[in-house]
Amino acid sequence: MAELRTASTAPAAPVAARDRQGRPLRDLRVSVTDRCNFRCVYCMPKEVFGKDYPFLDRGEILTFEEIARMARIFRELGVEKIRLTGGEPLVRRNLEQLIEMLARIPGLDLTLTTNGSLLKRQARALRDAGLKRITVSLDSLDDAVFRRMNDVDFPVARVLEGVEAAAAAGLSPVKINMVVKRGENDASVLPMARHFRGSGHILRYIEYMDVGHTNGWRMEDVVTAREIIEMIGAETPLEPVEPNYTGEVAERWRYRDGSGEIGVIASVTQAFCRDCTRIRLSTEGKLYTCLFATGGHDLRALLRGGASDREITDTVTGIWAKRTDRYSEIRTAQTAKLQKIEMSYIGG
Ligand code: SF4
């Protein structure tokens, strides 16, 4: 008798909304701030994002309560993973309070992408608040190259301290993301591989992308995934590994000698739109169905206009159901010039 009762009272598993290409909605990326303490040349070039740049005011950005409400609604729509991004998420004060709220949502995989600059100080608190995993962006071990790329003269050593603090706090394996740009840091590819091989951390190389419309992207500056794998494999043999799940962004490779794994994120040369299950919520509550979108959908007006959860759920379902995005499959030199939304605003 008891068994029967339990079966009928268990909450039904959320049914994933599907887009025009049948892709389920699984991953929500939430940008908690449009601000950053770095000025990475491929994301937030200083000449555009200078001291007079009109960043969003406090009243314009979603509160933690609003983000948590949206997260619950997305969970009901089948979202299994939330990645907190920015700008630089750790510059948003008391972020661990938001993480505590999100960690209470059952069945949610909670992760965060950071530039690591503030991680040494915050790693323990993030973990204690309920963060499960973390990704740290690091574009070189060469201090001069790294300082030039972050363009705020920030030293590598402090990011590496952040990585170790995250691992010590239990946020491991730590994923390390390196954007590779030809003529900028491609000479750092092998030193990064040597440093993280055998460390237990997972290094992923990202092809330089035409995100936003201010980084002056050119195809000739892209070091392809194939070049990167050949470069590393020539030194330490690699073999491909099956993805952990459908829609995983990074293509996995492991060292044949068992000393670890790396990944390549090849949005430019090996588009993965076919399995893209990601949606993005900007700092001020706009929804974007693609990293390379040119426009979004305002949800903040609903949140602050008294809309019910049902109304917001229906709106989001409607937006996703109409989704046809596959930008990386149709990228050209012309599309690269479109007024696309900045990555620093909607998160990577
Ligand atoms: S380009 Fe857009 S649709 Fe394609 S994988 Fe990236 S976010 Fe998804």
Side-chain angles (χ1 to χ4, degrees):
M1 190 48 125
E3 215 166 82
L4 269 179
R5 219 181 2 267
T6 315
S8 66
T9 56
V15 178
R18 291 194 174 259
D19 72 5
R20 280 275 170 82
Q21 300 191 1
R23 298 169 291 189
L25 173 51
R26 288 260 187 273
D27 301 74
L28 171 64
R29 299 191 173 191
V30 180
S31 170
V32 297
T33 179
D34 62 340
R35 296 166 191 258
C36 185
N37 54 353
F38 281 11
R39 286 293 178 275
C40 298
V41 292
Y42 54 81
C43 175
M44 230 177 173
K46 203 184 262 180
E47 56 278 11
V48 178
F49 296 89
K51 61 178 177 26
D52 304 325
Y53 186 82
F55 289 105
L56 295 165
D57 292 333
R58 192 163 183 75
E60 294 176 277
I61 67 174
L62 295 188
T63 64
F64 290 163
E65 289 73 18
E66 287 170 331
I67 295 172
R69 183 179 172 201
M70 288 309 304
R72 287 190 296 275
I73 288 170
F74 275 104
R75 178 74 187 105
E76 283 306 309
L77 282 170
V79 161
E80 297 170 354
K81 182 166 92 175
I82 290 187
R83 177 176 295 280
L84 299 178
T85 67
E88 167 50 39
L90 300 189
V91 303
R92 177 123 183 214
R93 258 176 289 151
N94 307 321
L95 188 68
E96 62 279 1
Q97 290 172 12
L98 171 62
I99 291 172
E100 270 166 23
M101 293 177 190
L102 299 177
R104 287 191 213 114
I105 302 174
L108 206 55
D109 177 16
L110 197 49
T111 183
L112 178 148
T113 301
T114 171
N115 64 22
S117 59
L118 304 168
L119 190 50
K120 184 178 180 188
R121 216 174 45 225
Q122 297 187 27
R124 174 62 57 190
L126 296 170
R127 176 67 176 150
D128 293 347
L131 192 68
K132 300 255 177 55
R133 299 179 294 113
I134 202 159
T135 300
V136 178
S137 306
L138 179 62
D139 297 323
S140 181
L141 291 168
D142 179 319
D143 207 44
V145 173
F146 183 60
R147 287 172 187 262
R148 188 181 65 234
M149 288 190 78
N150 65 52
D151 212 6
V152 292
D153 213 26
F154 196 87
V156 168
R158 284 178 56 194
V159 175
L160 292 175
E161 287 168 6
V163 169
E164 292 321 310
L171 290 165
S172 48
V174 177
K175 290 185 176 169
I176 312 288
N177 279 0
M178 173 186 179
V179 173
V180 184
K181 185 179 177 188
R182 198 181 302 282
E184 191 79 68
N185 64 336
D186 44 334
S188 299
V189 167
L190 283 175
M192 287 279 282
R194 294 176 195 132
H195 179 86
F196 287 107
R197 202 173 120 229
S199 69
H201 305 318
I202 302 174
L203 174 57
R204 293 113 58 88
Y205 297 94
I206 302 179
E207 288 182 341
Y208 171 45
M209 295 182 283
D210 54 324
V211 287
H213 56 275
T214 58
N215 68 3
W217 184 84
R218 304 175 311 157
M219 186 61 202
E220 50 266 45
D221 296 334
V222 175
V223 178
T224 69
R226 175 186 290 270
E227 287 176 84
I228 292 168
I229 292 299
E230 282 173 2
M231 220 189 286
I232 298 168
E235 186 169 283
T236 315
L238 291 163
E239 59 192 10
V241 186
E242 286 304 309
N244 289 307
Y245 55 89
T246 305
E248 184 170 22
V249 172
E251 187 186 86
R252 301 172 63 204
W253 292 80
R254 72 171 157 242
Y255 294 108
R256 281 225 179 97
D257 66 3
S259 57
E261 177 178 331
I262 63 168
V264 280
I265 299 176
S267 162
V268 178
T269 61
Q270 297 166 31
F272 38 77
C273 304
R274 190 186 51 250
D275 297 318
C276 179
T277 59
R278 292 171 293 283
I279 200 165
R280 292 169 168 85
L281 184 64
S282 76
T283 319
E284 63 184 325
K286 284 200 177 139
L287 206 53
Y288 295 90
T289 54
C290 176
L291 175 58
F292 301 93
T294 51
H297 310 264
D298 180 17
L299 297 183
R300 188 184 62 194
L302 294 174
L303 282 167
R304 295 183 181 176
S308 67
D309 283 6
R310 180 81 265 152
E311 287 166 319
I312 297 175
T313 302
D314 291 347
T315 302
V316 172
T317 307
I319 291 166
W320 187 258
K322 292 193 196 76
R323 179 187 187 234
T324 57
D325 297 279
R326 55 190 191 90
Y327 176 83
S328 286
E329 291 176 0
I330 59 168
R331 176 187 282 108
T332 64
Q334 276 56 53
T335 65
K337 298 192 180 75
L338 291 171
Q339 290 288 306
K340 302 185 266 15
I341 294 295
E342 294 297 340
M343 183 167 75
S344 61
Y345 169 78
I346 56 170

